[in-house]
Amino acid sequence: MGRDNLLPLMCAKTNYPGPGEPLEYLKLTDHALDSVHAAEVLWDSRPVAVRRRLADLMHLSVDEVRRVVVFLAGAHDVGKCSRAFSVKNSELWAPIEAALEGSSPTDDLDQPHAFHSALALVRWLRSRPDLDIPPSLQFDLAAVPGGHHGVYQRKTDLSFPLELVGEAEGEDPWFAAQSALLDLIAERTSAISALNALKVPFLGNIVVSLLTGLVIQADWTASNSFYYPLGPVSGDGRPAREHRAASLTNRQAAPRFTDPSLAMTADHFISSRFARSRSFSANPYQRQAWNIACGLSDPAGLLLVEAPTGQGKTELALTYAEVLAARFGYEGLAFLLPTTATADGVLGRIRGWLERALPRDQVASMGLAHGRAELNEFFTELPSRPHAPIDDLDAPSERVYADAACARRKLRLNSHVVVGTIDQLLFAGLDSKHVSIRHEGLAGKVVIIDEVHATTPYMRVFLSAALRWLSALRVPVVVMTATLPPAARDDIVNAYRESLGWRERDRLQQRGNPLASSAAGTDVFSDDYPRLCYISPEDPTQDLAIPVPLDQTPTELTVSVIEDSDAELAARLDEGTRDGGCVAVICNTIRRAQELYREVSKRVGGGVVLLHSQFTAADRASRERALLRQLGPADSPEVTRPHRLIVIGTSVLEQSLDIDVDLLVTDLAPMDLLIQRCGRLHRHPGRVRPRGLDSPRVLIRGVSFLAGSPVLDQAAASIHPKSILYETLAAITHVGSPQQGTLRLPHEASHLVRQVYLERPAKERGWNLDLDSLRDEEGREVNARCAIARSACLRSPAYAEFEGALPGVGSREDLMRRNNWTEQEAFDAARVRDAEDSFEVILVRDDDGAVSAASPNSPLNDVRLTDLAVLTAMQAQEFLMQRIRLPRRLITAGTYSAEAREARTLAVLDELEAQKVDLFQQHRLLAGELVLRLDSDLKTKLGGKTLEYSSEFGLMLHNCSGGSDG
């Protein structure tokens, strides 16, 4: 049978016709050429840094890499030219079956079409007499189309079919048609000379991941019928089709920043980007970062910034990123923070910087990468592209837009400038489907990680894996924190260092150099604080540690351990603020915060505010805005400080709000977090303090003393390692007076953290505690969780490249097979945070069938869904603002095994699934959302527990006997 007789019958895509509707389809040849065109548009829009990086790794010119990329994009669906795919549609299969003149060697391979694409490409590369490509490189090239659905084909799985077909290529009509298609794509893309120019023995993980990320995006674009409609495409119609698609995709080229170091000093730059007044100038930290960025010959490297809160670290990072983007061709940055609230809080500042940094002839897309992006007013007011035209390039607000194509969950990192949660980066270290898209999205950016101290050891396993890949991608990284435990600092630095220097270590190893055996350099960290530490690609075994002189006198904080009694604290706060004063009380759990708020409100009356994460999104945002107007920076015209205010909350007060209080009360917490909390005390200089609160004081609760030894409150100590809490208590109090102490901040911050985590001062106190056994027990628990995380991580790109192996990125089934896990164990491992199970739900009030928004503060509180035929976009967004995360204790309370928690989780999920609102399922923003129906008193039963919502207390979980459990 002639090879051209089968290919015209091959179909790539069809519609899903309803009764009486015609079948529409797109021929495989047309989809291949659409994919080539989409890849050309995509490649030409990528930043210079990505194109250069691929060219360097592949030892090709940038143009040659372009031809390889667009060829692989065109080849990605060649496996649809197979019996396994063609038989899926009986109407299209009939003429193919009639045209076949017998079976073929690959007929019985019932594999996904991506597998057949990889197999076909290897066979084609071997069959072309004008190609001379070694077998290892053939498999690496085939991995790209083989992985275009997010899961790579294993080389061992491809080997047997290759042996099976042997020399039968000429007898196989399927392969004849596949070869005809690949020949067409190779001619269209001029790929043969580019493929022959490949002289590397294999591509390796980094190249395969970047190429796959580009091919997947090209496929998704070419599969979008809005850009590339279904239906026949004649040869004459293709130029018009491609012109239409290019104008519709309208993917703006990566913005080109102007190098500020050519015409500005550090002071001039900081003033022009961030100043509220002309007298604004760079501080010592910012000046050092400016000098490093301006002096680099290689942009790859990690800059670790440890400095007190309120010292302009955000401005430092943006300065560093802009200089590198301008000098080395990066498209922008990814600014990642620990929570949705912290990401939302910084978005406006990043947008303001971008509007000022963009040259007048440049535009840039901006993305908000977390699950509540549609609720952020700074983000939703951005003009959307490609649908809205750019009207006025002279208007800074018109030059920054939201790219509609990047709204897809797995494309959130592909806007030019991204603000989001750190989870987006952690997923880049998880062995998961489509992870290549995340790698490609990050490859063209400077990555900034703020408040990294908020990561747990479990999260740092994924962070370390992601940093190894960023380092191998030569992505510059800025890590910022006020304080950081030494082990966490070493994890971060050594992970980036490992892949940064792997080529050099390989050369050293070949020469027998003993330094090559270790990826980690010497520990040069000391108690210098604040400091910048730079890991250089020129010598990754050494660190450039730069102490930065503090331009402020130390603040001496008086520390007192007080009785852990809500009633006594309420009386103390009432008496202590009679003459005025603003106080923050930070509790380790929501339940403690709610119970204390109830007691203080009863004693004090007005002027008491509660804030935690279990308010609806709308109520929490309203409370945060009110706090910023009351306790925000002294030089802000929007701030009116009250005479008296007591704020009771949880860790949200330490992470996301720039507030200043006169007195701090806090549950005992690990030293690094305690210092972070102290950053809210007397934060803004120059403010007149009330009488009795003019000196900074910290009151510590959650611990009492029995027979001279400390006893931790069980609830207060439930979320932190107890051994670290005891060590922190020893470090902040005097030896002879264990309930009193002083802290000199920020000067002693690094010393205190190092003391707690390395020197272990509690052993000198003579307390009746078995700290060694406690540490061992905690260490075993942490190690067990981290072992699971390591099993779910991507392998190091350096290791895989030495081995010449294909990427180990796979599906959940791959994790199960590799680790001998059950499906539930694989599901549990595929998380980048080690939090217990919980659900996010939309709260509604169901008053005998009349459904409305639950929160009394919602504008939809009196709107009955039964009176509506459809929801407007504004109404849907308002209901999204009623989302809330259920307490974890709803699942964990009373369960003592993984099996019991799983059973409780499924039972609660079943109850929630039964409460769906039909009208929600009809709107794109609400479809699939879980709903919790409350009665007219805003109460309900779920999982055998009583839940109650109040705009004053938030969500409360009660046990069946009526006591608070939440």
Side-chain angles (χ1 to χ4, degrees):
M1 176 180 192
R3 60 194 285 169
D4 295 332
N5 292 340
L6 200 56
L7 180 58
L9 302 176
M10 294 295 106
C11 166
K13 309 241 174 231
T14 68
N15 64 342
Y16 296 93
E21 295 179 349
L23 175 69
E24 293 184 352
Y25 62 91
L26 187 67
K27 289 185 177 182
L28 181 57
T29 302
D30 289 322
H31 179 58
L33 294 175
D34 288 345
S35 299
V36 166
H37 176 253
E40 290 171 339
V41 173
L42 176 66
W43 174 264
D44 293 340
S45 73
R46 301 310 295 133
V48 171
V50 172
R51 290 182 275 178
R52 285 176 180 166
R53 180 63 174 147
L54 272 171
D56 290 345
L57 288 170
M58 298 172 72
H59 295 188
L60 299 177
S61 69
V62 172
D63 177 67
E64 287 169 332
V65 177
R66 183 185 191 272
R67 284 184 274 152
V68 172
V69 168
V70 297
F71 168 75
L72 292 173
H76 78 275
D77 263 352
V78 67
K80 287 184 175 179
C81 188
S82 63
R83 179 186 295 271
F85 180 80
S86 298
V87 297
K88 292 182 177 181
N89 188 298
S90 58
E91 185 174 341
L92 296 173
W93 168 246
I96 298 172
E97 186 176 34
L100 285 169
E101 298 175 356
S103 62
S104 65
T106 56
D107 272 359
D108 297 325
L109 288 177
D110 187 14
Q111 295 281 358
H113 72 268
F115 174 91
H116 286 283
S117 292
L119 183 63
L121 184 56
V122 173
R123 296 176 69 185
W124 181 80
L125 290 170
R126 293 181 178 184
S127 69
R128 289 276 304 210
D130 54 350
L131 286 176
D132 181 21
I133 298 177
S136 59
L137 189 54
Q138 294 171 8
F139 279 107
D140 279 8
L141 287 168
V144 177
H148 80 270
H149 278 293
V151 179
Y152 289 101
Q153 313 303 316
R154 288 185 296 276
K155 190 185 300 186
T156 53
D157 290 343
L158 292 173
S159 299
F160 175 72
L162 286 170
E163 294 174 5
L164 183 67
V165 297
E167 302 298 325
E169 276 83 354
E171 306 168 10
D172 184 352
W174 293 108
F175 179 64
Q178 292 167 351
S179 295
L181 179 60
L182 291 171
D183 289 344
L184 173 67
I185 299 166
E187 181 180 357
R188 166 69 172 76
T189 60
S190 304
I192 297 299
S193 60
L195 290 170
N196 275 324
L198 275 169
K199 301 303 181 185
V200 293
F202 49 82
L203 295 181
N205 279 9
I206 294 299
V207 174
V208 169
S209 189
L210 288 178
L211 293 179
T212 305
L214 289 166
V215 167
I216 291 172
Q217 292 176 72
D219 175 33
W220 287 356
T221 302
S223 299
N224 189 332
S225 59
F226 181 73
Y227 301 137
Y228 300 90
L230 297 176
V233 183
S234 66
D236 293 340
R238 176 149 295 281
R241 177 185 181 87
E242 292 183 355
H243 177 76
R244 174 182 180 275
S247 63
L248 282 173
T249 55
N250 192 27
R251 173 140 188 173
Q252 299 289 344
R256 299 184 305 276
F257 293 89
T258 302
D259 186 354
S261 66
L262 299 177
M264 294 186 184
T265 64
D267 287 344
H268 183 195
F269 177 86
I270 292 292
S271 177
S272 67
R273 293 291 185 269
F274 310 111
R276 293 192 183 101
S277 65
R278 291 186 177 275
S279 61
F280 200 80
S281 61
N283 65 28
Y285 318 95
Q286 296 159 351
R287 194 169 287 112
Q288 287 284 14
W290 169 272
N291 292 338
I292 293 173
C294 293
L296 292 178
S297 58
D298 186 335
L302 181 140
L303 180 66
L304 175 61
V305 182
E306 295 177 88
T309 57
Q311 294 297 310
K313 292 193 290 291
T314 298
E315 290 77 12
L316 177 154
L318 295 176
T319 298
Y320 185 82
E322 183 179 337
V323 173
L324 291 192
R327 295 187 61 213
F328 298 102
Y330 292 95
E331 65 182 353
L333 58 87
F335 200 108
L336 307 170
L337 299 107
T339 66
T340 298
T342 50
D344 284 342
V346 80
L347 180 70
R349 295 166 68 185
I350 307 297
R351 178 181 170 182
W353 159 79
L354 182 58
E355 290 174 350
R356 290 186 288 271
L358 277 176
R360 290 183 59 178
D361 62 341
Q362 298 291 302
V363 295
S365 61
M366 187 169 191
L368 182 57
H370 62 63
R372 295 182 174 179
E374 69 278 2
L375 304 181
N376 186 291
E377 60 185 22
F378 284 106
F379 181 65
T380 55
E381 70 183 15
L382 288 173
S384 179
R385 308 285 184 259
H387 308 299
I390 299 175
D391 297 321
D392 182 8
L393 284 177
D394 289 331
S397 60
E398 283 289 318
R399 298 200 300 269
V400 179
Y401 66 96
D403 190 343
C406 297
R408 194 167 179 170
R409 181 171 59 88
K410 292 183 178 180
L411 289 174
R412 286 175 178 165
L413 291 174
N414 285 63
S415 296
H416 300 134
V417 173
V418 178
V419 178
T421 58
I422 194 173
D423 305 61
Q424 303 299 322
L425 176 60
L426 303 186
F427 281 126
L430 175 67
D431 193 348
S432 59
K433 288 184 68 174
H434 296 118
V435 72
S436 296
I437 297 176
R438 297 183 186 275
H439 293 162
E440 200 280 324
L442 290 167
K445 296 177 174 63
V446 179
V447 173
I448 300 167
I449 309 168
D450 197 8
E451 298 192 24
V452 74
H453 58 270
T455 57
T456 65
Y458 180 93
M459 294 168 67
R460 284 198 296 275
V461 173
F462 293 103
L463 177 59
S464 295
L467 286 172
R468 292 185 189 100
W469 279 78
L470 292 183
S471 174
L473 288 165
R474 313 292 279 187
V475 171
V477 176
V478 181
V479 177
M480 301 188 294
T481 181
T483 55
L484 198 62
R489 184 191 305 124
D490 291 345
D491 286 345
I492 291 166
V493 169
N494 290 336
Y496 192 87
R497 177 192 282 126
E498 178 182 313
S499 294
L500 191 64
W502 69 262
R503 290 188 187 277
E504 177 62 25
R505 288 201 309 280
D506 188 35
R507 290 194 293 271
L508 292 173
Q509 219 159 27
Q510 292 173 0
R511 299 184 207 137
N513 191 310
L515 291 177
S517 61
S518 173
T522 57
D523 179 12
V524 300
F525 295 112
S526 65
D527 284 340
D528 289 332
Y529 185 84
R531 60 175 163 235
L532 276 63
C533 177
Y534 182 68
I535 310 302
S536 165
E538 277 133 22
D539 186 1
T541 63
Q542 296 296 321
D543 310 317
L544 174 62
I546 309 171
V548 180
L550 272 170
D551 56 356
Q552 65 185 89
T553 57
T555 300
E556 189 165 293
L557 286 69
T558 301
V559 176
S560 302
V561 179
I562 63 173
E563 186 72 24
D564 191 26
S565 162
D566 290 350
E568 290 191 18
L569 179 57
R572 181 191 287 260
L573 294 177
D574 186 23
E575 293 294 330
T577 58
R578 288 283 174 85
D579 294 330
C582 297
V583 182
V585 184
I586 303 179
C587 304
N588 287 346
T589 68
I590 294 173
R591 180 185 177 185
R592 280 174 62 85
Q594 289 172 331
E595 292 175 347
L596 178 63
Y597 172 79
R598 180 178 285 107
E599 189 68 34
V600 175
S601 297
K602 185 171 62 177
R603 172 68 185 247
V604 176
V608 185
V609 176
L610 178 64
L611 181 63
H612 53 72
S613 61
Q614 280 174 7
F615 285 96
T616 65
D619 285 349
R620 176 176 171 180
S622 173
R623 286 168 176 263
E624 289 181 345
R625 286 193 297 268
L627 275 182
L628 287 172
R629 288 194 298 267
Q630 294 172 307
L631 303 179
D635 58 353
S636 173
E638 299 177 354
V639 173
T640 302
R641 195 171 179 89
H643 175 69
R644 185 190 202 192
L645 183 66
I646 299 172
V647 184
I648 299 172
T650 56
S651 59
V652 298
L653 293 176
E654 81 192 41
Q655 290 181 343
S656 57
L657 296 173
D658 182 9
I659 59 174
D660 175 310
V661 296
D662 305 311
L663 173 68
L664 176 67
V665 184
T666 173
D667 283 349
L668 183 61
M671 179 60 78
D672 46 316
L673 299 184
L674 189 62
I675 292 173
Q676 188 77 11
R677 294 178 181 184
C678 290
R680 271 57 190 164
L681 179 61
H682 289 212
R683 180 181 179 90
H684 302 139
R687 177 166 272 149
V688 178
R689 307 288 171 180
R691 184 166 57 89
L693 299 176
D694 48 347
S695 297
R697 290 188 295 136
V698 182
L699 307 182
I700 304 291
R701 62 196 296 259
V703 61
S704 58
F705 282 84
L706 181 64
S709 294
V711 179
L712 299 176
D713 176 84
Q714 185 175 356
S718 61
I719 61 173
H720 298 298
K722 292 182 176 60
S723 65
I724 297 300
L725 294 180
Y726 286 124
E727 300 293 353
T728 298
L729 182 64
I732 64 175
T733 58
H734 300 310
V735 174
S737 179
Q739 293 179 266
Q740 301 294 325
T742 54
L743 300 175
R744 296 177 71 254
L745 297 179
H747 296 62
E748 290 183 349
S750 181
H751 168 72
L752 289 167
V753 173
R754 193 177 185 89
Q755 187 180 18
V756 165
Y757 286 93
L758 294 181
E759 298 173 12
R760 307 291 172 82
K763 66 177 181 287
E764 307 295 333
R765 290 301 183 94
W767 290 337
N768 186 25
L769 301 169
D770 189 355
L771 290 177
D772 290 336
S773 297
L774 185 58
R775 278 193 293 267
D776 289 344
E777 180 183 352
E778 292 170 347
R780 285 191 296 270
E781 293 175 359
V782 170
N783 289 338
R785 291 197 301 271
C786 290
I788 293 174
R790 281 190 289 272
S791 298
C793 276
L794 290 178
R795 292 179 297 173
S796 167
Y799 171 81
E801 191 130 8
F802 286 139
E803 296 296 312
L806 291 177
V809 183
S811 62
R812 189 176 301 171
E813 289 74 20
D814 293 323
L815 286 176
M816 292 166 61
R817 181 176 53 253
R818 189 190 320 154
N819 300 294
N820 195 28
W821 284 343
T822 65
E823 185 173 0
Q824 182 62 39
E825 286 172 327
F827 178 81
D828 291 340
R831 308 180 191 185
V832 295
R833 291 184 186 255
D834 50 344
E836 298 285 352
D837 289 318
S838 183
F839 300 107
E840 197 168 54
V841 299
I842 294 177
L843 291 185
V844 299
R845 185 182 65 203
D846 187 340
D847 189 359
D848 292 329
V851 178
S852 60
S855 173
N857 299 323
S858 171
L860 299 181
N861 184 253
D862 295 324
V863 176
R864 296 185 177 188
L865 293 182
T866 49
D867 297 336
L868 302 176
V870 293
L871 288 171
T872 66
M874 187 174 298
Q875 288 170 332
Q877 285 194 327
E878 181 59 35
F879 273 109
L880 281 176
M881 292 294 287
Q882 302 305 304
R883 278 194 298 201
I884 195 168
R885 185 163 294 279
L886 296 177
R888 296 191 188 103
R889 286 180 58 81
L890 181 70
I891 303 297
T892 61
T895 59
Y896 303 101
S897 67
E899 293 78 9
R901 283 194 295 273
E902 181 180 351
R904 174 74 68 84
T905 300
L906 294 175
V908 170
L909 184 58
D910 286 342
E911 289 186 60
L912 292 171
E913 291 282 359
Q915 301 187 40
K916 284 185 176 179
V917 175
D918 291 339
L919 199 58
F920 285 2
Q921 306 311 309
Q922 300 170 20
H923 198 286
R924 65 175 184 83
L925 292 178
L926 299 172
E929 293 283 343
L930 295 172
V931 172
L932 182 62
R933 295 174 182 248
L934 308 179
D935 62 21
S936 58
D937 295 324
L938 299 186
K939 295 182 180 180
T940 192
K941 281 286 189 68
L942 183 65
K945 300 280 186 177
T946 299
L947 286 162
E948 178 182 3
Y949 186 77
S950 157
S951 58
E952 181 181 7
F953 285 88
L955 190 64
M956 294 173 285
L957 176 64
H958 305 290
N959 60 29
C960 295
S961 61
S964 174
D965 194 31

